[in-house]
Amino acid sequence: MQALPTYEDVLAAARRIEGQAHKTPVLTSSTIDSELGAKLFFKAENLQRMGAFKFRGAFNALSRFTDAQKKAGVLTFSSGNHAQAIALSARLLGIAATIIMPEDAPAAKRDATKGYGGKIVSYDRYSEDRDEIGRRLQEETGATLIPPYDHADIIAGQGTAAKELFEEVGELDALFVCLGGGGLLAGSALAAKALSPQCKIYGVEPEAGNDGQQSFRAGHIVSIGTPRTIADGAQTPSLGKLTFDIIRHDVADILTASDAQLVDCMRFFAERMKMVVEPTGCLGFAAARNAPDLVRGMRVGVIISGGNVDLGRFAALISDGAPA
């Protein structure tokens, strides 16, 4: 079992990814500030390289490979954003990458992963065990498995997004972060504890997949079936061991958002802030927007996790006004 990462690991990750990851902008909206009676700061990781925060953790992890590991290659499993992040990072570092992806992963994410040079192995996320497939491929190839979230280097890399946010805008009263397996939330908690210790951290996951909320309440990891939600980046059945250990101690609460609320936020970002944001990337904003009593009068951070979504799907969702 790996040791839990610390803020020192986040600082080290920031040094490794400097010059490779974008320092994404922090955006504001007077419209939403007026609506909520708060000051919101959006960290736009949808404008990150390959379109999501995942590049941070992936590049950090792969940049630490030994020569032997680089020669054997990297293996991972992902519904899309981590897949693209590993594929791109591997290409930049001269490493062969194999990615286990669900058959129903968004076409844009599959195509981008292939475009970055990743070799895709498909599986049925509802009937097959990706961990078992990963173990088999690892034995066959000798590749190093870098999971999407439960890895110290991944967590530390993801924490650099919140680090940049706090360094740019100062201390915050609250920070809302999307939650799938917990890498971004755990890394954000490490950064917040060091740079804004009074800030309350909220994880946000889909209503249909509230395993993190159940785990947080129960005090131990709760696993569920693969949730059916438009937030494909948060269709995880459980938190990781490392991520949960950080989340249970440093996070204030785990909230949820409905698919309909995600669509409303997608439309807001498109119409008022001129951005394409994927459903998962709207989780933090959806929770803050639908909890006005929680944020009124506060300085609030929201991490927009990504913007990788099929444009046809995006158009259908925001034009219909309800999940398709």
Side-chain angles (χ1 to χ4, degrees), residues 174-222:
L175 177 64
F176 291 80
V177 183
C178 70
L179 174 59
L184 181 61
L185 180 58
S188 297
L190 294 177
K193 191 174 181 180
L195 300 176
S196 185
Q198 302 306 312
C199 179
K200 291 186 176 180
I201 312 298
Y202 297 96
V204 189
E205 56 191 350
E207 272 186 359
N210 73 330
D211 60 283
Q213 188 181 63
Q214 292 183 51
S215 301
F216 193 77
R217 306 279 193 271
H220 60 82
I221 295 175
V222 174

Coordinates of all heavy atoms in Angstrom, one line a residue, residues 174-222:
A174 N -15.1 28.3 0.8 CA -15.6 27.0 0.3 C -15.0 26.7 -1.0 O -14.8 27.5 -1.8 CB -17.1 26.9 0.3
L175 N -14.9 25.4 -1.3 CA -14.4 24.9 -2.6 C -15.2 23.7 -3.0 O -15.3 22.7 -2.2 CB -12.9 24.5 -2.5 CG -12.3 23.9 -3.8 CD1 -12.3 25.0 -4.9 CD2 -10.9 23.5 -3.6
F176 N -15.8 23.7 -4.2 CA -16.7 22.6 -4.7 C -15.9 21.9 -5.8 O -15.5 22.5 -6.7 CB -18.0 23.1 -5.2 CG -18.9 23.7 -4.1 CD1 -18.7 24.9 -3.6 CD2 -19.9 22.9 -3.6 CE1 -19.5 25.4 -2.6 CE2 -20.8 23.4 -2.6 CZ -20.6 24.6 -2.1
V177 N -15.8 20.6 -5.6 CA -15.0 19.7 -6.5 C -15.8 18.5 -6.9 O -16.4 17.8 -6.0 CB -13.7 19.3 -5.8 CG1 -12.8 18.5 -6.7 CG2 -12.9 20.5 -5.2
C178 N -15.7 18.2 -8.2 CA -16.4 17.0 -8.6 C -15.8 15.7 -8.0 O -14.6 15.7 -7.7 CB -16.5 16.9 -10.2 SG -14.9 16.5 -10.9
L179 N -16.6 14.7 -7.9 CA -16.1 13.5 -7.2 C -16.5 12.2 -8.0 O -17.7 12.0 -8.3 CB -16.7 13.4 -5.8 CG -16.4 12.1 -5.0 CD1 -14.9 11.9 -4.9 CD2 -17.1 12.1 -3.7
G180 N -15.5 11.5 -8.5 CA -15.7 10.2 -9.1 C -15.0 9.2 -8.2 O -15.5 8.7 -7.2
G181 N -13.7 8.9 -8.5 CA -12.9 8.1 -7.6 C -12.2 8.8 -6.5 O -11.7 8.2 -5.5
G182 N -12.1 10.2 -6.6 CA -11.6 11.0 -5.5 C -10.2 11.6 -5.7 O -9.8 12.2 -4.8
G183 N -9.6 11.4 -6.9 CA -8.3 11.9 -7.0 C -8.2 13.4 -7.0 O -7.4 14.0 -6.3
L184 N -9.1 14.1 -7.7 CA -9.1 15.6 -7.7 C -9.6 16.1 -6.3 O -9.0 17.1 -5.9 CB -10.1 16.1 -8.8 CG -10.2 17.6 -8.9 CD1 -8.9 18.2 -9.3 CD2 -11.3 17.9 -10.0
L185 N -10.5 15.5 -5.7 CA -11.0 16.0 -4.4 C -9.9 15.8 -3.4 O -9.7 16.7 -2.6 CB -12.3 15.2 -4.0 CG -12.9 15.6 -2.7 CD1 -13.2 17.1 -2.6 CD2 -14.2 14.8 -2.4
A186 N -9.3 14.6 -3.3 CA -8.2 14.4 -2.3 C -7.1 15.4 -2.6 O -6.5 16.0 -1.6 CB -7.7 13.0 -2.4
G187 N -6.6 15.5 -3.8 CA -5.5 16.5 -4.1 C -5.9 17.9 -3.7 O -5.1 18.7 -3.2
S188 N -7.2 18.3 -4.0 CA -7.6 19.6 -3.7 C -7.6 19.8 -2.2 O -7.3 20.9 -1.7 CB -9.0 19.8 -4.3 OG -9.0 19.8 -5.7
A189 N -8.0 18.8 -1.4 CA -8.0 18.9 0.0 C -6.6 19.1 0.6 O -6.4 19.9 1.5 CB -8.7 17.6 0.6
L190 N -5.6 18.5 0.0 CA -4.3 18.7 0.4 C -3.8 20.1 0.2 O -3.2 20.7 1.1 CB -3.3 17.7 -0.3 CG -3.5 16.2 -0.1 CD1 -2.5 15.4 -1.0 CD2 -3.2 15.9 1.4
A191 N -4.2 20.6 -1.0 CA -3.8 22.0 -1.3 C -4.5 23.0 -0.4 O -4.0 24.0 0.1 CB -4.1 22.3 -2.7
A192 N -5.8 22.8 -0.1 CA -6.6 23.7 0.7 C -6.1 23.7 2.1 O -6.0 24.7 2.8 CB -8.1 23.2 0.7
K193 N -5.8 22.5 2.6 CA -5.3 22.4 4.0 C -4.0 23.3 4.2 O -3.8 23.9 5.3 CB -5.0 21.0 4.4 CG -4.8 20.7 5.8 CD -4.7 19.2 6.1 CE -4.5 18.9 7.6 NZ -4.4 17.4 7.8
A194 N -3.2 23.4 3.2 CA -2.0 24.1 3.3 C -2.1 25.6 3.0 O -1.5 26.4 3.6 CB -0.9 23.5 2.3
L195 N -3.0 25.9 2.0 CA -3.1 27.3 1.5 C -4.3 28.1 2.0 O -4.3 29.3 2.0 CB -3.0 27.3 0.0 CG -1.8 26.7 -0.6 CD1 -1.9 26.6 -2.1 CD2 -0.5 27.4 -0.2
S196 N -5.3 27.4 2.4 CA -6.5 28.0 2.9 C -7.2 27.2 4.0 O -8.3 26.6 3.7 CB -7.5 28.3 1.7 OG -8.6 29.0 2.1
P197 N -6.6 27.0 5.1 CA -7.0 26.0 6.1 C -8.4 26.2 6.6 O -9.0 25.2 7.1 CB -6.0 26.2 7.2 CG -5.3 27.5 7.0 CD -5.4 27.8 5.5
Q198 N -9.0 27.4 6.5 CA -10.4 27.5 7.0 C -11.4 27.2 5.9 O -12.6 27.2 6.2 CB -10.6 29.0 7.4 CG -9.7 29.4 8.5 CD -9.7 28.5 9.7 OE1 -10.8 28.1 10.2 NE2 -8.5 28.1 10.2
C199 N -10.9 26.9 4.7 CA -11.8 26.6 3.6 C -12.5 25.3 3.8 O -11.9 24.3 4.1 CB -11.0 26.6 2.3 SG -12.0 26.2 0.8
K200 N -13.8 25.2 3.6 CA -14.6 24.0 3.6 C -14.6 23.4 2.2 O -15.0 24.0 1.3 CB -16.0 24.2 4.1 CG -16.1 24.6 5.6 CD -17.5 24.7 6.1 CE -17.6 25.0 7.6 NZ -19.0 25.1 8.1
I201 N -14.2 22.1 2.2 CA -14.1 21.4 0.9 C -15.4 20.5 0.7 O -15.7 19.7 1.6 CB -12.9 20.5 0.8 CG1 -11.6 21.3 1.2 CG2 -12.7 20.0 -0.6 CD1 -11.3 22.5 0.4
Y202 N -16.0 20.6 -0.4 CA -17.2 19.8 -0.7 C -17.0 19.0 -2.0 O -16.6 19.5 -3.0 CB -18.5 20.7 -0.9 CG -18.9 21.5 0.3 CD1 -18.5 22.8 0.5 CD2 -19.6 20.9 1.3 CE1 -18.8 23.5 1.6 CE2 -20.0 21.6 2.5 CZ -19.6 22.9 2.6 OH -19.9 23.6 3.7
G203 N -17.1 17.7 -1.8 CA -17.1 16.8 -3.0 C -18.5 16.7 -3.6 O -19.5 16.8 -2.8
V204 N -18.7 16.6 -4.9 CA -20.0 16.5 -5.5 C -20.0 15.4 -6.5 O -19.2 15.3 -7.4 CB -20.4 17.8 -6.2 CG1 -21.8 17.8 -6.6 CG2 -20.1 19.0 -5.3
E205 N -21.0 14.5 -6.4 CA -21.1 13.4 -7.3 C -22.5 13.3 -7.8 O -23.4 14.0 -7.3 CB -20.7 12.1 -6.6 CG -21.4 11.8 -5.3 CD -20.8 10.6 -4.5 OE1 -19.9 9.9 -5.1 OE2 -21.2 10.4 -3.4
P206 N -22.8 12.5 -8.8 CA -24.1 12.4 -9.4 C -25.1 11.7 -8.4 O -24.7 10.8 -7.6 CB -23.9 11.4 -10.6 CG -22.5 11.4 -10.9 CD -21.8 11.7 -9.6
E207 N -26.3 12.2 -8.4 CA -27.3 11.6 -7.5 C -27.4 10.1 -7.7 O -27.5 9.3 -6.7 CB -28.7 12.1 -7.8 CG -29.1 13.4 -7.1 CD -30.5 13.8 -7.3 OE1 -31.2 13.2 -8.1 OE2 -30.9 14.9 -6.7
A208 N -27.3 9.6 -8.9 CA -27.4 8.2 -9.2 C -26.2 7.4 -8.8 O -26.2 6.1 -8.7 CB -27.6 8.0 -10.7
G209 N -25.1 8.1 -8.4 CA -23.9 7.4 -8.0 C -23.3 8.0 -6.8 O -22.1 8.5 -6.8
N210 N -24.0 7.9 -5.7 CA -23.5 8.6 -4.5 C -22.8 7.7 -3.5 O -22.9 7.7 -2.3 CB -24.7 9.2 -3.7 CG -25.6 8.2 -3.1 OD1 -25.7 7.0 -3.5 ND2 -26.3 8.5 -2.0
D211 N -21.9 6.8 -4.1 CA -21.1 5.9 -3.3 C -20.2 6.7 -2.3 O -20.0 6.3 -1.2 CB -20.3 5.0 -4.1 CG -19.3 5.7 -5.0 OD1 -19.8 6.3 -6.1 OD2 -18.1 5.8 -4.7
G212 N -19.7 7.8 -2.8 CA -18.8 8.6 -1.9 C -19.6 9.2 -0.8 O -19.0 9.2 0.4
Q213 N -20.8 9.7 -1.0 CA -21.6 10.2 0.1 C -21.9 9.1 1.1 O -21.8 9.4 2.3 CB -22.9 10.8 -0.5 CG -23.7 11.6 0.5 CD -25.0 12.1 -0.1 OE1 -25.8 11.3 -0.6 NE2 -25.1 13.4 -0.2
Q214 N -22.3 8.0 0.6 CA -22.6 6.8 1.5 C -21.3 6.5 2.3 O -21.4 6.2 3.5 CB -23.0 5.6 0.7 CG -24.4 5.8 0.0 CD -24.8 4.5 -0.7 OE1 -24.8 3.5 -0.1 NE2 -25.2 4.7 -1.9
S215 N -20.2 6.5 1.6 CA -18.9 6.1 2.3 C -18.6 7.1 3.4 O -18.2 6.8 4.5 CB -17.8 6.0 1.3 OG -18.0 5.1 0.3
F216 N -18.7 8.4 3.0 CA -18.4 9.5 4.0 C -19.3 9.4 5.2 O -18.8 9.6 6.3 CB -18.7 10.8 3.3 CG -18.1 12.0 4.0 CD1 -16.8 12.3 4.0 CD2 -19.0 12.9 4.7 CE1 -16.3 13.4 4.6 CE2 -18.5 14.0 5.4 CZ -17.1 14.3 5.3
R217 N -20.6 9.1 5.0 CA -21.5 9.0 6.2 C -21.2 7.7 7.0 O -21.3 7.7 8.2 CB -23.0 8.9 5.7 CG -23.4 10.0 4.8 CD -23.8 11.2 5.5 NE -24.5 12.2 4.7 CZ -24.0 13.2 4.0 NH1 -22.6 13.3 4.0 NH2 -24.7 14.0 3.2
A218 N -20.8 6.6 6.3 CA -20.6 5.3 7.0 C -19.3 5.2 7.7 O -19.1 4.4 8.6 CB -20.8 4.2 6.0
G219 N -18.3 6.0 7.2 CA -17.0 5.9 7.7 C -16.1 4.8 7.1 O -15.0 4.5 7.6
H220 N -16.6 4.2 6.1 CA -15.9 3.1 5.4 C -16.3 3.1 3.9 O -17.4 3.7 3.6 CB -16.1 1.8 6.0 CG -17.5 1.3 6.0 ND1 -18.1 0.7 4.9 CD2 -18.5 1.4 7.0 CE1 -19.4 0.4 5.2 NE2 -19.6 0.8 6.4
I221 N -15.5 2.5 3.1 CA -15.8 2.6 1.6 C -17.0 1.7 1.3 O -17.1 0.6 1.7 CB -14.6 2.1 0.8 CG1 -13.4 3.1 1.0 CG2 -14.9 2.0 -0.7 CD1 -12.1 2.7 0.3
V222 N -18.0 2.3 0.6 CA -19.2 1.6 0.2 C -19.1 1.5 -1.4 O -18.8 2.5 -2.1 CB -20.4 2.4 0.5 CG1 -21.7 1.8 -0.1 CG2 -20.6 2.5 2.1

